[in-house]
Amino acid sequence: MPNPADVVAELARLGAELFVIVEQDLYPCAPEVPLPIAVSTREHLASCGLTGTRRPNIDR
């Protein structure tokens, strides 16, 4: 299992604009279960240096 900080550092060396998708596969589960895990994962990746912006919700 790679260290997320090492992965972020290697991606930064590319010098390219990138995006990542992190999914929680918890099927079947209640819809509210994955959100706290996704938030925690995003915060952890941000602490490793992977930051960015959220895509705007165009349906609103």
Side-chain angles (χ1 to χ4, degrees), residues 17-49:
E17 186 175 338
L18 303 170
F19 70 93
V20 298
I21 298 171
V22 179
E23 295 182 355
Q24 292 293 326
D25 186 6
L26 298 174
Y27 179 81
C29 71
E32 64 274 4
V33 172
L35 180 59
I37 297 169
V39 169
S40 175
T41 300
R42 187 173 195 277
E43 289 172 352
H44 175 72
L45 292 174
S47 76
C48 293

